[in-house]
Amino acid sequence: RLVTVRRPGRGPGVVAALLALRQHKDLFWTLTQHRIRVRYKQSILGLAWAVVQPVALMLIFTLAFGRIARVPSEGIPYPLFVFSGLLVWSFVSTGLSNAVHSVVAHAQLITKVYFPREILPLTYIAAALFDFCVGSVVLAVLLTYYGHPVTWAALYAVPVVIVLTALVTAGALLLSATQVRFRDVGIAIPLILYLWLFATPVGYPLSSVPQGYRSWFLLNPMTGIVESFRGAVIHGTVPDARVLVVPAIAAGILLPLAYIIFKRVEATMADVI
């Protein structure tokens, strides 16, 4: 009978780890379904909670920035403008804030049985992506209401969402692995997300940022994501490669790096946690 012994510093290679992850795909889907069911179980609104947060934020942003501050919205009705950005941001916020605690929250499971630990944060990202899909239905309704019917051009948003998912997954792997040793990460995440939100053109267009600061804003990967998604869905334009290059490069570098770091930390998770 084959016996596998796992020791610190002697974890499987990346290819072997990915093959092991594929072998545990049933566990991934089971836990993902569990995340979704538990979140809405015994709730009156049910799946409606997936859109409550972005809709509530849309109303607040519309009142504060659209009506009071009169922030420009590039000729788009402000509720539609801000909701398209908040939908993307809610995916980031929900995915990272839940995934950061994924490993620590399952300490009893980790210390008793082995399985690819990355499944835990990945299931939270999958659940957040499900919420994103539900919220996209509301976005489609808003597009129709404001005279911007959904067209085939909206498919340009698909590669943008793929890049976004890769970025969020990389962040989830890094943060959940770091949270095992340093619990300060979980405490700091709400503040980081709060500051990151206002550093991203969600409630305001990138064109309203002074030219001298715009290059700094473009270094924020979420700037290119939000602008490209909004342009594809509302305007039906092809994502600008110059705006999307930073998040694409960041995703291409961070995702494999985050996975390697996670697998290195994985060997001692059961001892430290």
Side-chain angles (χ1 to χ4, degrees):
R1 185 177 182 181
L2 180 62
V3 177
T4 302
V5 180
R6 302 187 182 275
R7 298 186 180 91
R10 296 186 181 183
V14 174
V15 176
L18 291 175
L19 291 175
L21 180 61
R22 182 181 179 183
Q23 293 173 355
H24 290 78
K25 60 183 179 181
D26 291 340
L27 177 61
F28 169 78
W29 290 116
T30 300
L31 288 179
T32 299
Q33 293 173 12
H34 174 72
R35 307 280 180 242
I36 298 172
R37 290 173 180 172
V38 168
R39 183 179 303 178
Y40 305 117
K41 186 177 181 181
Q42 294 181 340
S43 63
I44 298 176
L45 296 180
L47 285 177
W49 283 111
V51 298
V52 166
Q53 179 179 353
V55 168
L57 288 175
M58 178 193 71
L59 297 176
I60 295 174
F61 271 72
T62 300
L63 177 61
F65 295 98
R67 297 296 178 87
I68 298 177
R70 299 290 181 180
V71 174
S73 57
E74 300 179 332
I76 306 170
Y78 191 82
L80 176 59
F81 173 86
V82 73
F83 186 84
S84 60
L86 287 171
L87 180 62
V88 173
W89 183 256
S90 295
F91 174 39
V92 177
S93 177
T94 302
L96 292 182
S97 59
N98 290 330
V100 67
H101 302 285
S102 58
V103 177
V104 176
H106 293 81
Q108 295 181 346
L109 183 61
I110 289 178
T111 55
K112 291 180 180 179
V113 63
Y114 175 78
F115 60 92
R117 313 304 194 195
E118 63 269 26
I119 287 180
L120 295 175
L122 290 179
T123 55
Y124 283 99
I125 300 303
L129 186 60
F130 174 82
D131 289 349
F132 175 84
C133 293
V134 175
S136 297
V137 177
V138 178
L139 178 59
V141 173
L142 287 175
L143 285 168
T144 304
Y145 177 79
Y146 285 107
H148 293 266
V150 181
T151 64
W152 288 106
L155 292 177
Y156 289 133
V158 174
V160 179
V161 175
I162 292 175
V163 174
L164 172 63
T165 304
L167 278 173
V168 177
T169 302
L173 292 173
L174 284 173
L175 293 172
S176 59
T178 308
Q179 172 75 352
V180 173
R181 291 183 177 272
F182 306 101
R183 305 302 167 87
D184 307 76
V185 175
I187 301 175
I189 278 296
L191 175 60
I192 294 174
L193 290 174
Y194 181 79
L195 297 176
W196 197 6
L197 169 62
F198 289 99
T200 303
V202 172
Y204 54 89
L206 181 62
S207 57
S208 66
V209 177
Q211 191 66 37
Y213 297 98
R214 198 170 300 175
S215 58
W216 292 101
F217 272 73
L218 288 174
L219 292 178
N220 173 10
M222 286 303 300
T223 296
I225 293 291
V226 172
E227 287 289 309
S228 299
F229 180 83
R230 185 179 282 146
V233 173
I234 299 179
H235 298 295
T237 58
V238 180
D240 189 349
R242 295 172 299 177
V243 176
L244 201 57
V245 63
V246 171
I249 292 176
I253 295 176
L254 290 178
L255 183 57
L257 181 62
Y259 189 68
I260 292 173
I261 293 175
F262 187 93
K263 297 306 290 185
R264 287 185 176 273
V265 175
E266 180 189 57
T268 57
M269 281 183 179
D271 300 321
V272 177
I273 204 170

